[in-house]
Amino acid sequence: MGWLMMLGIAISIPVSIVGYYVAKAINRRQYHLSVEMLEQLQIAKPEGAEKKNEPAPPGALTIAGQIVVPILLIVLGTIFHSLLTAGSLLGKVMTVIGTLPIVLLIALTACFGGLGCRRSTMRASG
C-alpha cells in the first residue's frame, strides 16, 4: 500500500503542474461568440434566479454527517475490536459494522435516504 501511494504522489504532482499551466493557457484565449449565441444569453434567465418548485439544497450539517458517519463507524469498529474480548457479542457486531464494505453500504443508504429520497419527495409534493 505504501508503494502505491508513493507512486500515485509521484505521478500526480507533475500531472497537476502541467494541468495548471494548460488550463492557464486555455483561459487566456479569447473565444468569439456568434450573434445567435449572444441573443440566447440575453434571453436566458440570470444564474442567480431560483426555481420556485426546486427544494433547498441540503444543509452543511447534513453533508458533514454524510462524511463523518462512515469515518466514525470505522473508528468505532477498530476501537471495539481492540478493546473488547474476542468472544463478546458487541465486539463481533462492531467489528462487522466497522468493516469497509458494510460502512460503505451504510453510508450509501444514508445518502440515498437523506439526500436522494428527500429531494424527490419534496419535488413531488411541491
Side-chain angles (χ1 to χ4, degrees):
M1 187 61 126
W3 283 106
L4 184 65
M5 290 178 66
M6 289 180 6
L7 183 64
I9 290 171
I11 291 173
S12 66
I13 289 174
V15 167
S16 62
I17 292 171
V18 170
Y20 170 76
Y21 286 110
V22 168
K24 195 174 178 182
I26 289 173
N27 198 21
R28 275 193 226 144
R29 293 184 185 164
Q30 296 290 330
Y31 294 103
H32 299 287
L33 297 177
S34 65
V35 175
E36 294 138 4
M37 181 60 71
L38 291 172
E39 289 173 355
Q40 288 178 358
L41 286 174
Q42 289 177 351
I43 294 172
K45 293 180 182 177
E47 289 183 21
E50 293 184 22
K51 296 178 182 176
K52 292 181 182 178
N53 58 358
E54 177 125 354
L61 288 177
T62 304
I63 300 300
Q66 300 295 332
I67 295 169
V68 169
V69 165
I71 296 170
L72 186 66
L73 286 174
I74 292 171
V75 168
L76 286 176
T78 305
I79 289 173
F80 278 116
H81 177 70
S82 61
L83 290 181
L84 296 177
T85 59
S88 70
L89 180 64
L90 182 63
K92 289 180 181 178
V93 169
M94 286 309 294
T95 301
V96 170
I97 290 177
T99 58
L100 191 59
I102 303 299
V103 167
L104 292 176
L105 185 63
I106 292 170
L108 180 67
T109 305
C111 285
F112 178 72
L115 300 176
C117 290
R118 187 185 125 235
R119 289 182 64 87
S120 66
T121 55
M122 291 176 96
R123 188 173 292 145
S125 65

